[in-house]
Amino acid sequence: MTIHPKFTPELLLSAPRRSAGIPNASGSLIAFTESTYSFESHSTAKELRVLDVETGKSVFITNAFQGVPQWLGDQDKLIWLKGAENGNTSFVTGDAYGKSRPYTAGTVPGPVSDLKLTKIASDKFGIVVSGKSNQDGSLHNPTEAKKPLSSGKLYTSLFVRHWDKYIQPQKNALWYGTLQLQPSIHGRSTDYYCLSELKNLFRLLDLKNVESPIPPFGGTDHFDICPRGIVFITKDPALNPALHTKCVLYYCALPSWTEAVPLELKTVKINELNGALASPVLSSVDNMLALLAMREDGYESDKNRLIIIPNLFDGGYEPVEVFATKDGIGAWRLSPGSLTWAPDDSSLFIQAEDVGQGSLFQLPITPAVGSSSVADLVKLAHRGSITSVVPVGNNLYLTSSNLVEPSYYTILELSPYRVLSEHYASSSSIGLSHRQIDEIWWRGAHDHPVHAWVVKPSHFNPNEKYPLCYLVHGGPQGAWNNQWSTRWNPAIFAEQGYVVIAPNPTGSTGYGQPFTDAIQNSWGGRPYEDLVRGFEYIERNLEYVDTTRAVALGASYGGYMMNWMQGHELGRKFKALVTHDGIFSTRFALATEELYFPIHDLGGVYWNVPQNWDRWDPSRFLDKWSTPQLIIHSALDYRLSIAEGLAAFNALQMRGVESAFLTFPDENHWVLKPENSLVWHRTVLNWVNKFVGLEPVWVDEEGGDEVRN
């Protein structure tokens, strides 16, 4: 029998992390990147590798790369980006077998990313990347920027800062050019490509005050290209991005990817859909456009509507909303997350959250796309959560994960439908199994069914009792899905000896838009009642759970809920609480950067509806705070200011409640650096373990950086 090591924070954080798999044109090879952190050398090793689908073996290509590589058409050649001297970026090509030495096709004078390419001739590719643009239209290179004598910054409008950075004058822009096969030398053909000069598309179009990809998380999902041109989305330049989510979809034909011909920018009008846009994708054959659009401005978790535009580059287009209904709700209960065209334009593959899973659906596309109905959708069976879909011929190449498997590539044959093969990351043997995973349901607020994941220890014995670890997710419009995570991984807590319950209460995604929307102006209402009823259900029905030894933890909105519970009856049910980046007072939310979020969820601006903001303010109930609580808040968290965490800790200390405060000066709303993440895990686990009688995970005999007064 194989004995696996206990699944520890060190094992979680040092396990290899794989990118999405990218198959070549024939589907015989899959390119991917992998990074591994070593706590011995305190360094990260990165590799670009190519997997042979038939043998299951992979070969090393390079460790000098940035981002995700791309295949050069139907050749077994790759192109990738590489950081060069003085902040420049090189475009490097190499064969997929690691036999020949890679070479540089060209270098640009600054950092770029989000590489996409499209074949425009037998010997030429169109290429697009994103990069910061200076105000004069040149590519911004931080290493060459002149350092000002003063650090002062004057702002006269929002944003002042976003996510974890103060707003700078440089903006994201799209840069395009070509990759051309070199002509023969001395009568002998070559297989070397050369990169042309990259042009700032936004500068040529005289586009001002726009950014694409949209910060802070936009990437290749905010633009797409085909031989005929480019489409991209931006925030509406007429509106303040801190107060609005409304986006604009632009497209530009590129009759020549090389010559300096006048370019014409066009805007796509989508009536009655005035919210965020996402996932614009162009089909391979007819260059049809599909994208996702929200109806409501100022609501980032509104339902995504599927839009198809058949004749975008031919003029006279008419956007079609698939599954539209007269009442505007839409016939499909789910909200799509991303889109992928079939190679022959015959169907769309749609990813969507669905009852705790990241599922995949296929929608046949006919000339009368407006006649498509929900009945036409085919759900492709697959466990876990799919993060990437790449069609090759009749097969689908999927990248997925689940609660016990960090990464695996699946090849599906569509007709007949069957799984051809699965390739797991080397970190899959970490002592976890699907036997640890279960699901439960209970009746929550308004008698609505509430779903939760149950994660048990690998050494689980149904005749024993285990302390409860109650996890509340962030968002609040989010969900615990059957998906791997290196930040909040339920299995880490389960392996300590807890039964982990991860509920999806009111506001969660993947259970229909009305359930998501129902949290509006009810932050401490319906979700709290769902959690109370869930705790009662666990007490009555799960005999192997010891609810007298219970702890609760949450981040972001989950952190808000910890503070809310602390002032209410449910908070007395727990031996200890953990709040990571949570709201202490709803009035503090005025210090956030994306102000549209609290304005929407609390029903308006504070001075118009102060009763809404005050009603759900955790700080109103400080007189009841008495449960031991760990507060975590980092300095670069501009979504929720560190003052929120300090205020909560100060209140606990003043009340004489056992408490601790953990902060990282170099982290944002998340803790991402491996060494910091290890401290985070050790601190959190040691905190909750000591209140339920479990052993500490780590003892710092030297005292570490703990500050005692």
Side-chain angles (χ1 to χ4, degrees), residues 29-253:
L29 302 173
I30 298 176
F32 66 96
T33 66
E34 187 172 87
S35 65
T36 306
Y37 187 81
S38 169
F39 286 105
E40 294 181 356
S41 65
H42 307 289
S43 62
T44 299
K46 300 194 305 180
E47 294 185 349
L48 168 56
R49 305 188 68 87
V50 171
L51 172 73
D52 185 300
V53 171
E54 184 176 355
T55 65
K57 297 180 179 180
S58 66
V59 296
F60 170 83
I61 304 298
T62 182
N63 58 11
F65 66 93
Q66 295 175 176
V68 180
Q70 299 292 319
W71 293 97
L72 282 172
D74 56 2
Q75 308 172 56
D76 286 345
K77 294 182 180 297
L78 289 163
I79 179 169
W80 60 87
L81 302 178
K82 173 187 173 183
E85 294 182 354
N86 302 320
N88 299 337
T89 305
S90 293
F91 291 67
V92 181
T93 64
D95 76 81
Y97 304 99
K99 295 180 179 178
S100 62
R101 186 174 181 179
Y103 66 91
T104 298
T107 300
V108 295
V112 296
S113 57
D114 301 320
L115 173 66
K116 278 192 175 183
L117 66 159
T118 182
K119 193 169 186 177
I120 56 179
S122 60
D123 61 348
K124 187 187 299 184
F125 294 89
I127 195 164
V128 174
V129 292
S130 69
K132 293 285 185 184
S133 172
N134 294 315
Q135 291 176 300
D136 63 1
S138 61
L139 182 62
H140 178 62
N141 189 332
T143 63
E144 297 179 352
K146 185 178 180 179
K147 188 175 182 179
L149 298 177
S150 169
S151 61
K153 295 178 175 63
L154 177 66
Y155 296 88
T156 57
S157 66
L158 303 170
F159 288 122
V160 170
R161 56 189 191 177
H162 195 194
W163 189 247
D164 59 4
K165 293 181 175 61
Y166 279 81
I167 298 301
Q168 302 291 335
Q170 296 80 19
K171 306 294 182 185
N172 287 344
L174 297 176
W175 306 74
Y176 77 98
T178 60
L179 199 66
Q180 174 83 49
L181 186 66
Q182 291 299 285
S184 60
I185 300 177
H186 302 303
R188 299 180 62 181
S189 61
T190 72
D191 59 356
Y192 289 92
Y193 284 86
C194 183
L195 179 71
S196 72
E197 178 187 2
L198 295 186
K199 304 179 182 67
N200 185 336
L201 179 69
F202 293 1
R203 182 74 170 181
L204 294 175
L205 295 171
D206 197 29
L207 264 180
K208 300 176 181 178
N209 300 319
V210 301
E211 282 194 272
S212 188
I214 302 170
F217 304 121
T220 56
D221 57 332
H222 284 182
F223 70 95
D224 202 15
I225 61 176
C226 69
R228 300 182 66 182
I230 184 170
V231 297
F232 58 95
I233 61 174
T234 75
K235 283 288 192 78
D236 189 330
L239 301 173
N240 191 295
L243 300 172
H244 298 271
T245 58
K246 184 181 180 183
C247 292
V248 178
L249 174 68
Y250 298 104
Y251 71 101
C252 175

Side-chain angles (χ1 to χ4, degrees), residues 35 59 77 83 191 276 307 321 374 572 593 606 621 625 671:
S35 65
V59 296
K77 294 182 180 297
D191 59 356
I307 308 297
E321 181 183 343
V374 175
R572 309 291 76 79
E593 14 86 283
Y606 179 78
F621 307 95
W625 284 34
V671 176

Side-chain angles (χ1 to χ4, degrees), residues 329-544:
I329 296 175
W332 196 22
R333 70 178 185 87
L334 299 182
S335 179
S338 64
L339 307 171
T340 307
W341 282 101
D344 59 0
D345 293 8
S346 62
S347 61
L348 266 175
F349 299 101
I350 306 170
Q351 294 169 243
E353 287 182 279
D354 184 18
V355 192
Q357 308 279 357
S359 299
L360 182 65
F361 300 82
Q362 184 178 16
L363 176 68
I365 300 298
T366 64
V369 292
S371 63
S372 299
S373 71
V374 175
D376 297 325
L377 281 167
V378 178
K379 185 175 182 179
L380 303 177
H382 190 81
R383 72 172 186 273
S385 293
I386 296 168
T387 55
S388 173
V389 180
V390 183
V392 176
N394 188 46
N395 297 338
L396 289 182
Y397 287 68
L398 309 178
T399 302
S400 309
S401 72
N402 57 54
L403 286 165
V404 294
E405 291 166 326
S407 172
Y408 51 97
Y409 302 146
T410 304
I411 304 176
L412 290 180
E413 185 179 23
L414 292 174
S415 181
Y417 179 82
R418 57 176 178 157
V419 175
L420 295 180
S421 65
E422 288 191 298
H423 301 273
Y424 292 84
S426 58
S427 58
S428 60
S429 297
I430 50 181
L432 304 177
S433 73
H434 291 280
R435 295 189 302 273
Q436 296 175 240
I437 310 302
D438 203 351
E439 301 174 64
I440 55 175
W441 292 82
W442 63 79
R443 290 287 174 178
H446 295 205
D447 209 36
H448 194 286
V450 175
H451 172 245
W453 291 102
V454 180
V455 184
K456 305 168 186 174
S458 57
H459 51 79
F460 177 74
N461 181 342
N463 298 318
E464 296 182 6
K465 275 186 172 289
Y466 300 87
L468 168 65
C469 178
Y470 213 29
L471 298 182
V472 181
H473 67 67
Q477 292 89 356
W480 293 115
N481 288 323
N482 189 8
Q483 187 172 14
W484 189 258
S485 174
T486 54
R487 290 188 294 114
W488 283 85
N489 191 308
I492 280 292
F493 297 93
E495 289 305 275
Q496 293 298 307
Y498 294 95
V499 167
V500 179
I501 307 292
N504 287 325
T506 300
S508 298
T509 51
Y511 300 86
Q513 194 63 34
F515 190 66
T516 302
D517 295 343
I519 197 174
Q520 184 176 2
N521 199 22
S522 189
W523 276 10
R526 292 178 62 167
Y528 174 75
E529 186 176 345
D530 291 342
L531 295 171
V532 170
R533 294 193 181 188
F535 193 93
E536 293 170 349
Y537 175 89
I538 297 165
E539 283 183 307
R540 293 192 307 265
N541 296 279
L542 301 187
E543 295 181 355
Y544 51 84

Side-chain angles (χ1 to χ4, degrees), residues 299 476-477 506 516-527 557 560 564 586 597-604 609-617:
Y299 185 24
Q477 292 89 356
T506 300
T516 302
D517 295 343
I519 197 174
Q520 184 176 2
N521 199 22
S522 189
W523 276 10
R526 292 178 62 167
Y557 173 79
Y560 162 89
W564 183 261
T586 47
F597 174 73
I599 290 171
H600 173 272
D601 269 27
L602 296 174
V609 286
Q611 67 278 9
N612 291 359
W613 292 58
D614 292 343
R615 181 184 183 187
W616 307 118
D617 190 333

